[in-house]
Structure formats: structure tokens, C-alpha cells
């Protein structure tokens, strides 16, 4: 019926334009003849591309996941089917710097199993993340998206929840009715193949790059203040780089802690997490009225590695909160 209606309207408009061109008979009215012909031609071209029948729109990847009846364990297998093999030697390097770190596969498996016991599933759970803008930080998002579907992004540079209370409230409104939310948040740090913390190999780039660049820049800013040598300036932070300015100020209280650390690059992500955790808890408390049944907070340090090794995560918080924002269980 809709298709017939559309083509009837097109034919009626075409008929009107033909009649209009017939009315305009004066030789000087060439421009009107051309306009009429152009419009008629456009209508014909549009008709050629119009579908003969109306079909339903294709579902999104998120909807595909929601309709997926696979067992959770099968989904986890699918998500990590093409991940690199475990490297025992590299595992020791990671554990020596970040005790308790889990591979993304082990993390996702444990988290999904625990949340399933609390009735979290792909149909009723919204995934939200507050991770760094760095493309390497997307890996953890992708791994959880394979289970719960597309994520709502709350984060910015270094993983700070720059979306704030407004972003959280918007996200909470998207939680399925009578459903849940899983929030994954925290800073990230690179570990290169040779064990260097704060560096990482990237696909297609020969240079071993810093990771996290924003965090290291903020650390250098703080070092300039705590160790002296920072240039005094009255320049206000520019809006074009306000997130980095905020990262610097939010890490500043940890200046002495970083100066006293045995390995500054190892201590840096933990310091960042403490600031981010404080902000996230405050944001969740303010926006708790928007929570439906409950929210799970998974916070920690994301460890990014080169293309041939597994990524890791150090879980530092895994809480289940009710709709009032109260901690029900430390998981």
C-alpha cells in the first residue's frame, strides 16, 4: 500500500510538471522549459531507484546479539577464537609488574559467569565503558561487546569519565526496562615485548610508542611541578585541549606518590585509577535514580600489549549496586 501511494504521488507530480511546461509557450521562457524537463528527469531517475516492494530494515549488530540464543560460554569462545596464544614468558613479565592481572579472556569469562548468576544477560544488559580514546583501549570494549552488544561511551583521555553526570543520566535512560548495566572503566598502560612498561608495539608502526600518551604527558607535567623546573604561566588551559588539562590537574595530588615510586610507569596507572574511581563513584551516586534493577562496576587497569600477545586487566573494583546506588555485593 505504501509503495503504491508513493508511485501515485510521483506520477501525479510528473503529470503536473508536464502540464506546466505546456502552459509556458513563450520562446523567452526557455529557462522554465529546462527547469520542467530537469524536474521530470529527476522524478524518472528517482523512480528507477525506488524499490518495487518495501522490505524491513536490516537489524543492527546489537540486535543480532540480542536475538542470539547461544550459550554464554559459546559466545566467549567465539569472541576469543582468533586471539593470540598465551605466552608463559610474557605472562611472567606482566605478573611481575602487575600482580593479579588477568588476560581479557579470563576476565570476560569470570565477569560474565558471575553476572549471569545475578540475571545479567545480552537481552537485559547495557554495556557502558569509560576507557581511553586510544584505539588499543577498544580491544576490551570489543571483547565485552561480543557478549552484551554495543557500548555507551562515558570516557575520554586516559579513561576519565568526561561524560560526567549528564552522560551517565543519558546512558541510564538507555538501560532496558527492568534491566541492568555493566560499567567497565579505568586507565590503560602499555607493556612492550621486552617488558618495558609505558611502551607498546602497534600494528603497522615501526616505532615502539608510548602508552598511555595522555597519562605520560600528565605525569611529566606533574614531575615539572614536584621536582621544580616547571615554567610559571598565567595561561588558562585552552578549550581545544581541556581534557588533557583536566587529566593533569586530576593526577596532581599524586605527585609525591609518583616521585617516590620505584617504577613511575607502573605506579602511574594505579594513581590514575584512584582519581577515576573517585569520580566514577560520585557520578554513579548522583545518577543512581536512573538505574533500573542494578549496575555492576568493573574498574581496574587495562594492560595493552603488542599484536602478538594477549591483553590483560587488573581488576581493582567489582561491585554490584542496587537501583539506589548502594553496594549490595563486592564481587
Amino acid at each position: 500500500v505504501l509503495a503504491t501511494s508513493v508511485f501515485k504521488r510521483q506520477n501525479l507530480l510528473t503529470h503536473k510538471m508536464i502540464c506546466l511546461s505546456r502552459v509556458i509557450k513563450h520562446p523567452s521562457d526557455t529557462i522554465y522549459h529546462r527547469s520542467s524537463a530537469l524536474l521530470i528527469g529527476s522524478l524518472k531517475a528517482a523512480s528507477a531507484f525506488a524499490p518495487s516492494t518495501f522490505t524491513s530494515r536490516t537489524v543492527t549488530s546489537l540486535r543480532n546479539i540480542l536475538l542470539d540464543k547461544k550459550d554464554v560460554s559459546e559466545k566467549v569462545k567465539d569472541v576469543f577464537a582468533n586471539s593470540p596464544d598465551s605466552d608463559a614468558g610474557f605472562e611472567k613479565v606482566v605478573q611481575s609488574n602487575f600482580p593479579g592481572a588477568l588476560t581479557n579472556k579470563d576476565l570476560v569469562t569470570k565477569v560474565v559467569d558471575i553476572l549471569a548468576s545475578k540475571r545479567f544477560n545480552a537481552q537485559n544488559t547495557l554495556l557502558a565503558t569509560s576507557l581511553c580514546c586510544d584505539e588499543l583501549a577498544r580491544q576490551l570494549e570489543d571483547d565485552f561487546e561480543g557478549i552484551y552488544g554495543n557500548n555507551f561511551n562515558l570516557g575520554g583521555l586516559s579513561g576519565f569519565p568526561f561524560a560526567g553526570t549528564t552522560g551517565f543520566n543519558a546512558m541510564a535512560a538507555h538501560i532496558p526496562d527492568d534491566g541492568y548495566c555493566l560499567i567497565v572503566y579505568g586507565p590503560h598502560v602499555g607493556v612492550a615485548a621486552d617488558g618495558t612498561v609505558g611502551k607498546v608495539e602497534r600494528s603497522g608502526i615501526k616505532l615502539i610508542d608510548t602508552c598511555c600518551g595522555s597519562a605520560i604527558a600528565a605525569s611529566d607535567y606533574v614531575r615539572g611541578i614536584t621536582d621544580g623546573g616547571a615554567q610559571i604561566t598565567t595561561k588558562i588551559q585552552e578549550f581545544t585541549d581541556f581534557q588533557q588539562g583536566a587529566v593533569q590537574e586530576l593526577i596532581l595530588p599524586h605527585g609525591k606518590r609518583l616521585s617516590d615510586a620505584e617504577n613511575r610507569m607502573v605506579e602511574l596507572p594505579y594513581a590514575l585509577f584512584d582519581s577515576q574511581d573517585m569520580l566514577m563513584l560520585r557520578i554513579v551516586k548522583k545518577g543512581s535514580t536512573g538505574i533500573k534493577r542494578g549496575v555492576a562496576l568493573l574498574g581496574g587497569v587495562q594492560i595493552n600489549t603488542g599484536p602478538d600477545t594477549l591483553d590483560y586487566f587488573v581488576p581493582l573494583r567489582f561491585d554490584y549496586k542496587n537501583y539506589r546506588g548502594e553496594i549490595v555485593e563486592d564481587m
Side-chain angles (χ1 to χ4, degrees):
V1 174
L2 287 173
T4 304
S5 176
V6 169
F7 287 114
K8 280 182 177 179
R9 290 177 183 176
Q10 288 179 340
N11 290 334
L12 179 61
L13 184 55
T14 303
H15 176 72
K16 287 182 177 179
M17 293 307 303
I18 291 171
C19 292
L20 176 63
S21 65
R22 287 174 179 170
V23 170
I24 302 170
K25 295 180 180 180
H26 195 278
S28 63
D29 291 326
T30 306
I31 186 170
Y32 294 104
H33 283 287
R34 287 177 180 173
S35 298
S36 301
L38 180 61
L39 284 169
I40 293 168
S42 298
L43 286 167
K44 288 180 179 178
S47 298
F49 286 99
S52 56
T53 58
F54 279 86
T55 56
S56 61
R57 295 179 180 179
T58 56
V59 293
T60 64
S61 58
L62 173 58
R63 187 61 181 160
N64 282 332
I65 289 170
L66 296 184
L67 294 174
D68 193 352
K69 299 300 182 184
K70 282 186 178 179
D71 178 75
V72 168
S73 59
E74 288 183 80
K75 285 187 175 184
V76 172
K77 276 185 184 178
D78 291 345
V79 168
F80 295 98
N82 299 315
S83 62
D85 295 328
S86 180
D87 183 327
F90 190 72
E91 171 84 15
K92 288 181 180 179
V93 171
V94 172
Q95 294 298 335
S96 66
N97 290 291
F98 301 99
L102 300 172
T103 65
N104 280 14
K105 181 178 180 181
D106 289 342
L107 174 77
V108 172
T109 301
K110 291 176 184 293
V111 168
V112 170
D113 283 347
I114 291 171
L115 293 183
S117 69
K118 303 197 177 300
R119 301 185 179 180
F120 284 62
N121 58 52
Q123 287 82 7
N124 68 7
T125 302
L126 175 65
L127 171 66
T129 61
S130 183
L131 304 170
C132 186
C133 306
D134 193 323
E135 74 277 6
L136 294 181
R138 307 283 73 76
Q139 184 60 59
L140 187 61
E141 281 183 347
D142 292 345
D143 294 339
F144 274 109
E145 282 181 1
I147 309 299
Y148 297 113
N150 295 342
N151 73 292
F152 189 108
N153 182 29
L154 298 167
L157 287 180
S158 289
F160 279 92
F162 283 109
T165 305
T166 299
F168 183 89
N169 290 337
M171 178 277 294
H174 301 173
I175 298 172
D177 293 339
D178 204 30
Y180 303 86
C181 178
L182 167 62
I183 302 177
V184 183
Y185 67 100
H188 72 133
V189 62
V191 177
D194 64 0
T196 303
V197 178
K199 298 276 188 180
V200 72
E201 297 85 1
R202 297 175 185 266
S203 297
I205 301 176
K206 290 182 180 179
L207 178 69
I208 298 179
D209 194 19
T210 56
C211 179
C212 165
S214 168
I216 293 173
S219 173
D220 291 341
Y221 166 81
V222 172
R223 193 202 304 265
I225 294 173
T226 57
D227 295 356
Q231 292 184 347
I232 298 174
T233 176
T234 57
K235 183 180 179 182
I236 298 174
Q237 293 291 346
E238 295 181 358
F239 182 78
T240 53
D241 203 18
F242 82 94
Q243 282 197 12
Q244 184 59 25
V247 173
Q248 292 173 174
E249 300 306 321
L250 288 166
I251 197 66
L252 189 56
H254 301 290
K256 187 176 187 306
R257 170 184 177 179
L258 294 173
S259 294
D260 294 343
E262 184 178 343
N263 187 329
R264 191 180 182 95
M265 288 298 100
V266 171
E267 190 64 27
L268 179 58
Y270 288 107
L272 286 163
F273 174 78
D274 287 345
S275 290
Q276 292 176 18
D277 189 51
M278 176 188 68
L279 287 172
M280 183 60 76
L281 294 179
R282 189 176 298 175
I283 290 168
V284 172
K285 185 175 181 179
K286 283 187 176 181
S288 61
T289 54
I291 297 172
K292 305 291 174 66
R293 289 191 64 84
V295 58
L297 292 178
L298 174 61
V301 174
Q302 186 181 180
I303 303 169
N304 297 128
T305 70
D308 301 323
T309 46
L310 295 166
D311 279 359
Y312 293 77
F313 189 86
V314 183
L316 299 174
R317 179 183 294 281
F318 190 25
D319 290 343
Y320 176 60
K321 292 174 176 279
N322 60 22
Y323 64 92
R324 290 186 293 269
E326 303 165 339
I327 294 179
V328 175
E329 184 180 349
D330 178 354
M331 300 181 286

